[in-house]
Amino acid sequence: MTCSAATSIKPNPANDWLQILFRQRYPFTLLLTLLIGSAYLQLDTQLSIAQQWSLINGQIPDEFAEFVYLFATLPRLIIALLVGATLGLAGSLLQQVTRNPLLSPLTLGTSSGAWLALIVVSVWFPSLNPDTTSVLVMAGAMLSMGLVLAIAGIRQLSGLPVVLAGMAVNILLGAITSAIILLRDQHAKQLFIWGAGDLAQNDWQWLGWLAPKLLIAIPVLLLAPRLLQLLKLGQESAGARGLNVTPVLLVLFIATLWLVSASITAVGIISFIGLIAPNIARLCGARSARDQLWLSSLLGALLLLCADLFARLLSLWTIEIIPTGTATAICGAPVLIALALKKLRAEDQLSLQALPVRRIGIYQWVIIILTAVSCFILASFLNHTGISWQWGWPNSFDWQLRSPRIVAAMAAGIAMAVAGTLLQRLIYNPLASPDLLGVSAGASAALVLYTLLFGEPLTSAGPFIALAGSAGLLLILLSLAKRQQFSPAAIILLGISLTALVEALIQFALANGSENVYTILGWLAGSTYRVEAPQAAILLTGSLLILLLGLLSSRWLTLLSIGKPLAQGRGMQVESSIWCLLSIVALACALVTALLGPIAFIGLLAPHMARLLGAQSARSQLITAALLGASLLMLADWLGRNLLYPGQIAAGTLASALGGGYFIILLLRSRARH
C-alpha cells in the first residue's frame, strides 16, 4: 500500500481562485504577511506608528506600553515569522524528497523525542546551561526521527508506513515521558507550556539563540532546488545525470532535522505548519522545486503568524492564555483531514497483518486460561514490601486497597480487547483499535473540556460525558471515511488528525497550570490509583456486558467478514448492525476512559495475539482477546505497583510501552516482507 505519491495536482476548477490570487505568488504573499503583521503589532498596543518606528530605530523606552512593544510584541512577531518559515521549508523539503504529500515533522516523531529529552534534562540534569540543554533537546528530536526512518525504511517514505511509524514512536515516547513526569512531578510543572507550543517572549534572548541556528536555511533555499528537481526524475535517472543520490538525501535530511529541532527547542511543539504550507503552495500553482521551497517558507510564516494572531485574540476574549500550538492545531486539524480525504484513494490498502495462524485448539485454550489465572494470582499474592518480595494472602487492609485495582485492570482489559476486535473486523483493518483511531481520544476530550468549562474535577464527570465524546468522534470519523469506502489508510490518517486535535486541547489544559494538572496527567496515563470498590464493580459489570453483547453479535461479524453484499443477501440489516456494533465500541471506550483514563494499545495488541494463537472465528477471537486483554492489563498494573516501589507507574503507561513495541515490530515485519 502506498499513498498517492504525486506532488503535482491536476487542474481543478475549485482551485482557480487560489491560482488567480497567487498568480504573482511572492508579492501577494509578502503583502498579505505585511498587512497581518501590522494588525498583529496593533492588537494590544496604544502606540502610534511613529512611536513604534522610533523604538525600532533605537529610542530608549520609558513607558510600560513601550517596554511591552519592544521586548514582548516585536520579538514574538519576528520569532513567529522565523519559525513558521522554517517549518514550511522543512515540510517542503521532506515532501519533495519523499514525494509523500502527507509527510511532515509532525508525522516523523520529532516533537515526542524533543519533549522526552527536555523532561530527562530537567529532571536529572537541571544544572546544565541553556545551550547544552538545547543541544540535547535537538538530539532527542533527531534521534526520534532517525528511529522513525529506520523503522519505515528508506523505500517506504512515499507511503503510509512512515506515518504509522511516526505515530507508534510518538505514542511510545509519550508514554515514557508521562511516566517520568508523574514520578518526578515537582521538576516538570513549568514545562507544560512548552509542550503546548508557545511563542510568548519577554526579551530578545531566544530570538538571539535561534536566528544563527536557522542560517542553514539560506544555502538550502539557494542550492536544494536543483537537487530536488533532479530527484523528481527518480533516483536512477538522477544518478545517471551525475547526482550522487545517497549523500544528497542524507544532507537534506540532516538539514531538515536541524531546522525542525532548533525551532521546537525554542518555541515548543507547533503542529501542522510543515504539513499544510507545502500543500497550499502546490494548490497555488507552485510546480518547480524552487517555487515550492520559497512559497512554502512564505506561507509557513504567514500561517503561523495568523495562528498566533488567532491565539492572541482568543486570549483577549477568554480568561486563559491560549498557547499558539493549541490554536495551530485547532486550525490545522481540519486541513489535515481534508488532505487525507483528497490524497488517498479508496483502493489504497495496508499490507500489515499478524503472524500466520492456525486454528485454535485445546492446548491453546489451556495456555490462555492458565495465563489469565496466573496473572490474577501474581497480582493478588506477590508484591514488594519495600524491603523484599512477599508471597502470600494479603491482610484485609492490603486486600481492600489492592482488589479494586486488580478488578478494574481486568475489566478494562476485557472491554478494550472486545472494542479492538469489533473495530478490526468491522473495518477490515488489522490496525484498527480505539486509541489509534481516536475513539478513546474523543472520551478524553469530552472529559477535559468538562473540567475546563465547568471547573469541576475529573472525578465528578460521569461516563455519559465520556460516551458522548467517544460516540461523537467515532461518528465524525466514520462519516468522513465513508467517502473513501472505509479505506484502511484513510481511516488511520483521519484518526491521527482527530487525535492530534484532541491532544492539543489536552496540552492546553495542562499548560494552564491549575491545581488539577497532575490529576489530569495521572488520569491520561490510564491509572487504577483512585479506583474504589464500587467503581471497580461497575466497570466489571459493564465489561462483562460488553463482552456478552460482542458474543451475541458474533454472527453479524462472521457475515460482515465474508462481505457486506453477501451479508445483506442473507437477510442481515447491514447498516443498522454496523451502527449497533460501533455503539458497543463507543460504550466500551467511554466506560474505561471515564473511570481509568485512556488505555492505549490493548485494543490492538489483544486481538493480534488472539489471532496468533489461532482464534479465527469471531466468537473465539472475542473470548481469547478478552482473556489476553485482562491478563495484559493486570500484569501491567502489577508491574507498575512493584517495579519502582514505593513509586508507581500507571498501568496504561506500561501497556502503551508494550503495545508500542509490538506495533513497531509489526511495521518492521511489514517492511521485511516488501
Side-chain angles (χ1 to χ4, degrees):
M1 193 289 309
T2 59
C3 295
S4 174
T7 56
S8 61
I9 295 176
K10 295 180 180 179
N12 184 350
N15 297 328
D16 286 347
W17 67 274
L18 277 172
Q19 296 189 28
I20 291 171
L21 283 176
F22 283 85
R23 193 175 300 280
Q24 300 297 325
R25 289 182 288 270
Y26 305 122
F28 181 83
T29 308
L30 284 171
L31 177 61
L32 192 59
T33 304
L34 288 173
L35 290 174
I36 294 176
S38 300
Y40 186 97
L41 291 175
Q42 293 299 123
L43 181 63
D44 55 2
T45 182
Q46 304 298 321
L47 302 178
S48 66
I49 300 296
Q51 288 175 302
Q52 294 178 39
W53 187 249
S54 298
L55 289 169
I56 292 172
N57 283 329
Q59 176 183 322
I60 298 175
D62 56 5
E63 296 180 6
F64 179 74
E66 294 178 343
F67 277 100
V68 170
Y69 176 84
L70 191 59
F71 294 104
T73 305
L74 199 58
R76 179 168 180 159
L77 169 67
I78 297 173
I79 208 165
L81 293 172
L82 273 179
V83 171
T86 300
L87 294 177
L89 173 63
S92 184
L93 275 173
L94 286 174
Q95 292 182 19
Q96 290 192 64
V97 167
T98 62
R99 291 181 290 173
N100 185 348
L102 292 173
L103 203 61
S104 75
L106 169 70
T107 54
L108 282 181
T110 54
S111 58
S112 59
W115 183 226
L116 176 59
L118 183 65
I119 293 297
V120 168
V121 170
S122 300
V123 170
W124 283 291
F125 307 101
S127 60
L128 291 178
N129 62 61
D131 283 339
T132 305
T133 299
S134 303
V135 170
L136 292 175
V137 170
M138 286 193 287
M142 296 174 74
L143 287 174
S144 63
M145 187 184 285
L147 178 60
V148 171
L149 296 177
I151 293 169
I154 198 71
R155 296 183 180 179
Q156 297 285 350
L157 294 180
S158 61
L160 186 62
V162 67
V163 179
L164 296 173
M167 179 179 61
V169 169
N170 276 329
I171 294 176
L172 182 60
L173 298 184
I176 297 171
T177 304
S178 296
I180 295 173
I181 291 175
L182 287 171
L183 289 170
R184 300 293 184 92
D185 55 5
Q186 68 274 17
H187 298 281
K189 188 172 183 179
Q190 71 277 13
L191 301 176
F192 288 129
I193 190 67
W194 185 92
D198 186 42
L199 296 181
Q201 305 293 311
N202 53 21
D203 53 35
W204 294 83
Q205 179 180 352
W206 271 112
L207 187 59
W209 179 90
L210 179 63
K213 294 173 176 58
L214 299 185
L215 290 176
I216 191 176
I218 297 174
V220 168
L221 284 167
L222 295 176
L223 302 176
R226 183 175 179 275
L227 303 175
L228 293 171
Q229 203 67 35
L230 286 173
L231 287 173
K232 284 185 178 182
L233 304 174
Q235 294 188 14
E236 293 183 2
S237 299
R241 286 168 172 77
L243 183 67
N244 200 344
V245 176
T246 301
V248 167
L249 289 176
L250 185 61
V251 169
L252 290 177
F253 269 119
I254 291 174
T256 304
L257 282 167
W258 179 263
L259 291 171
V260 173
S261 301
S263 299
I264 63 177
T265 300
V267 301
I269 299 170
I270 304 290
S271 304
F272 294 111
I273 298 294
L275 175 64
I276 296 171
N279 280 279
I280 294 179
R282 287 191 292 273
L283 284 172
C284 295
R287 294 291 181 264
S288 69
R290 174 182 171 275
D291 280 353
Q292 289 186 43
L293 285 179
W294 281 91
L295 190 55
S296 296
S297 301
L298 290 173
L299 287 170
L302 179 61
L303 289 171
L304 188 55
L305 187 62
C306 291
D308 195 39
L309 183 61
F310 176 60
R312 292 177 65 198
L313 286 170
L314 285 179
S315 299
L316 291 177
W317 296 336
T318 62
I319 301 175
E320 307 293 346
I321 296 176
I322 310 296
T324 308
T326 302
T328 308
I330 293 171
C331 300
V335 180
L336 179 56
I337 291 170
L339 290 173
L341 294 175
K342 184 178 181 65
K343 299 295 182 183
L344 292 174
R345 302 184 300 270
E347 62 268 21
D348 284 339
Q349 297 297 322
L350 184 62
S351 177
L352 185 59
Q353 300 176 352
L355 295 170
V357 299
R358 56 183 181 277
R359 193 170 185 83
I360 194 167
I362 297 297
Y363 179 71
Q364 285 80 17
W365 279 117
V366 171
I367 291 177
I368 294 166
I369 294 171
L370 285 177
T371 300
V373 172
S374 299
C375 289
F376 180 80
I377 293 173
L378 191 69
S380 301
F381 304 124
L382 180 61
N383 284 276
H384 203 280
T385 62
I387 300 174
S388 62
W389 290 91
Q390 183 179 18
W391 175 268
W393 188 271
N395 58 48
S396 59
F397 177 75
D398 288 340
W399 183 247
Q400 186 178 2
L401 295 176
R402 194 180 304 166
S403 58
R405 297 184 60 171
I406 297 171
V407 172
M410 177 174 60
I414 292 172
M416 297 307 293
V418 171
T421 303
L422 293 178
L423 275 178
Q424 288 183 17
R425 285 183 167 267
L426 272 176
I427 304 175
Y428 310 106
N429 184 352
L431 290 178
S433 73
D435 46 291
L436 298 184
L437 300 188
V439 183
S440 295
S444 302
L447 292 168
V448 171
L449 286 175
Y450 171 82
T451 64
L452 290 177
L453 293 175
F454 300 103
E456 299 289 337
L458 280 169
T459 52
S460 67
F464 290 107
I465 295 174
L467 178 59
S470 288
L473 195 141
L474 187 60
L475 182 63
I476 294 171
L477 175 68
L478 296 176
S479 299
L480 294 171
K482 188 176 182 181
R483 295 175 53 189
Q484 300 294 320
Q485 287 76 48
F486 299 101
S487 159
I491 290 175
I492 289 167
L493 282 169
L494 289 170
I496 293 172
S497 308
L498 295 170
T499 302
L501 177 59
V502 170
E503 287 178 351
L505 294 174
I506 291 172
Q507 284 292 342
F508 165 63
L510 296 176
N512 281 335
S514 67
E515 58 185 12
N516 291 327
V517 163
Y518 291 106
T519 301
I520 293 174
L521 194 62
W523 171 80
L524 288 172
S527 169
T528 60
Y529 299 163
R530 294 167 301 278
V531 176
E532 298 177 356
Q535 294 173 318
I538 292 172
L539 185 56
L540 180 60
T541 303
S543 298
L544 293 176
L545 177 61
I546 289 165
L547 176 59
L548 178 61
L549 292 173
L551 292 173
L552 292 175
S553 63
S554 58
R555 181 175 178 273
W556 292 350
L557 293 171
T558 302
L559 290 174
L560 286 171
S561 64
I562 298 173
K564 293 176 184 176
L566 182 58
Q568 197 163 7
R570 296 287 181 89
M572 178 181 172
Q573 298 292 327
V574 174
E575 188 169 347
S576 59
S577 301
I578 289 176
W579 285 113
C580 286
L581 292 169
L582 291 175
S583 299
I584 298 172
V585 172
L587 178 62
C589 294
L591 185 65
V592 173
T593 307
L595 296 179
L596 298 187
I599 302 292
F601 277 118
I602 294 296
L604 171 73
L605 190 57
H608 267 281
M609 293 180 68
R611 291 187 69 246
L612 175 63
L613 290 170
Q616 295 178 333
S617 69
R619 182 167 297 182
S620 64
Q621 188 180 16
L622 282 167
I623 296 173
T624 307
L627 289 170
L628 291 172
S631 303
L632 286 169
L633 210 51
M634 282 191 294
L635 181 62
D637 186 59
W638 176 78
L639 288 171
R641 283 189 281 123
N642 292 283
L643 278 179
L644 298 178
Y645 186 90
Q648 298 194 39
I649 305 173
T653 299
L654 285 176
S656 295
L658 290 172
Y662 180 77
F663 189 61
I664 289 172
I665 290 171
L666 288 179
L667 292 170
L668 290 172
R669 289 187 59 257
S670 176
R671 174 189 167 191
R673 285 201 303 269
H674 294 85

